[in-house]
Amino acid sequence: MYWVTGCTLVHLGHGDPAVLAIRQALAAANKGSDPLLAATLRGSVAWQLLVAGRYSEAELVALRAAAAVEPTGDVPPEHLSVYGSLILQGATAAGRGQNARTAIDLADAASEVADRLDEDRKDYETNFGPSQIVMQRTDIRISTDQFPEALTEARQMRSGGTGLAAVSQARHALDKATALSQLGRHDEALQLLLAAESIGGEEWTRYQTLMKQVIDDSSSTTRAAPCAASPAVSASAPDPFRLRQLR
């Protein structure tokens, strides 16, 4: 219960109560006999640190948790899933901290674990697999301002991203929209923002500061566009005013 509460509070932007709830969950797990559960909860602590912008600490916590459950020999799929997810969390934190080389190296290591699974899984309420690898590699490229490379990574996604949870699909659409906007492809970016809003839902959308930044960039370009746009272009272009309500 503490774990679910903590994760929900993080999504809703309530950082301090989330930390307390996740720490309570971690204390309970440490008294138990399941090292994978304890490691996963440490991953939740790392995630909370990442959301708070404490990227170096988030990376350290995630990688220490991974080292504690590093698999040797044949292990069940859930063990690989937990371990790979923690490595990938470390990669994401390194990317947010602008350490691109370390982030890509860690993502490559996590990808090797995902290759052993060859499927998208959800173990200990944590998603991991090939789709998650593509999503986070895209995120790393976005975080380090490598926008063409981000779109290249995103094209590796299997089955249109259906292996991702709904909020992850929304976040991935937002990442792609960010890359497109930065490359001047604003109409495509706005279409993806509408998709992200639809998939993620109103509550998720409300806390996505990156979405608001892309809306501002794309909308300002739309306002600056020549008034003599052809009827065909005007009819097909997404309506930025719906998205402006998010600001």
Side-chain angles (χ1 to χ4, degrees), residues 84-85 87-88 91-92 106-115 120 127-140 153 156-157 164 172:
S85 176
I87 295 293
L88 195 56
T92 302
L106 288 170
D108 287 344
S111 182
E112 291 178 5
V113 179
D115 287 343
D120 295 306
N127 297 289
F128 181 72
S131 298
Q132 201 73 24
I133 294 290
V134 173
M135 175 189 167
Q136 297 300 343
R137 289 180 73 97
T138 303
D139 180 275
I140 289 166
E153 298 282 7
Q156 306 305 311
M157 182 64 72
L164 296 171
H172 188 56

Side-chain angles (χ1 to χ4, degrees), residues 179-201:
L180 289 166
S181 179
Q182 290 294 322
L183 295 172
R185 296 162 60 180
H186 298 291
D187 285 352
E188 295 171 82
L190 286 169
Q191 292 284 12
L192 276 171
L193 288 178
L194 289 170
E197 179 190 17
S198 176
I199 297 167

Side-chain angles (χ1 to χ4, degrees), residues 71-75 80 116:
T72 56
D74 291 330
V75 296
L80 292 175
R116 293 175 65 181

Side-chain angles (χ1 to χ4, degrees), residues 49-240:
L49 289 168
L50 187 147
V51 171
R54 296 161 62 179
Y55 304 128
S56 295
E57 293 172 79
E59 179 185 349
L60 182 62
V61 169
L63 295 182
R64 282 181 174 173
V69 293
E70 184 173 2
T72 56
D74 291 330
V75 296
E78 58 269 25
H79 192 151
L80 292 175
S81 181
V82 168
Y83 175 70
S85 176
L86 291 165
I87 295 293
L88 195 56
Q89 282 193 52
T92 302
R96 299 288 178 89
Q98 301 302 302
N99 193 341
R101 186 65 265 162
T102 297
I104 293 300
D105 287 346
L106 288 170
D108 287 344
S111 182
E112 291 178 5
V113 179
D115 287 343
R116 293 175 65 181
L117 292 170
D118 197 35
E119 64 175 344
D120 295 306
R121 295 181 56 88
K122 185 175 183 179
D123 298 290
Y124 292 90
E125 298 302 313
T126 299
N127 297 289
F128 181 72
S131 298
Q132 201 73 24
I133 294 290
V134 173
M135 175 189 167
Q136 297 300 343
R137 289 180 73 97
T138 303
D139 180 275
I140 289 166
R141 299 296 189 180
I142 294 291
S143 297
T144 53
D145 295 336
Q146 301 177 64
F147 303 112
E149 292 84 353
L151 295 178
T152 299
E153 298 282 7
R155 283 193 286 270
Q156 306 305 311
M157 182 64 72
R158 296 181 176 185
S159 304
T162 55
L164 296 171
V167 291
S168 296
Q169 291 182 42
R171 176 65 199 204
H172 188 56
L174 177 53
D175 279 344
K176 291 188 290 183
T178 302
L180 289 166
S181 179
Q182 290 294 322
L183 295 172
R185 296 162 60 180
H186 298 291
D187 285 352
E188 295 171 82
L190 286 169
Q191 292 284 12
L192 276 171
L193 288 178
L194 289 170
E197 179 190 17
S198 176
I199 297 167
E202 181 180 350
E203 196 67 27
W204 175 86
T205 299
R206 184 176 301 158
Y207 295 99
Q208 300 307 307
T209 56
L210 181 57
M211 177 177 279
K212 297 173 184 177
Q213 293 170 12
V214 178
I215 292 166
D216 286 341
D217 291 343
S218 297
S219 296
S220 62
T221 301
T222 300
R223 289 193 296 269
C227 295
S230 70
V233 172
S234 298
S236 63
D239 180 7

Side-chain angles (χ1 to χ4, degrees), residues 7-39:
C7 292
T8 301
L9 288 168
V10 169
H11 278 301
L12 296 179
H14 303 303
D16 290 342
V19 169
L20 292 175
I22 291 172
R23 284 179 176 172
Q24 290 284 353
L26 182 58
N30 284 335
K31 295 177 182 177
S33 59
D34 189 343
L36 296 180
L37 176 58

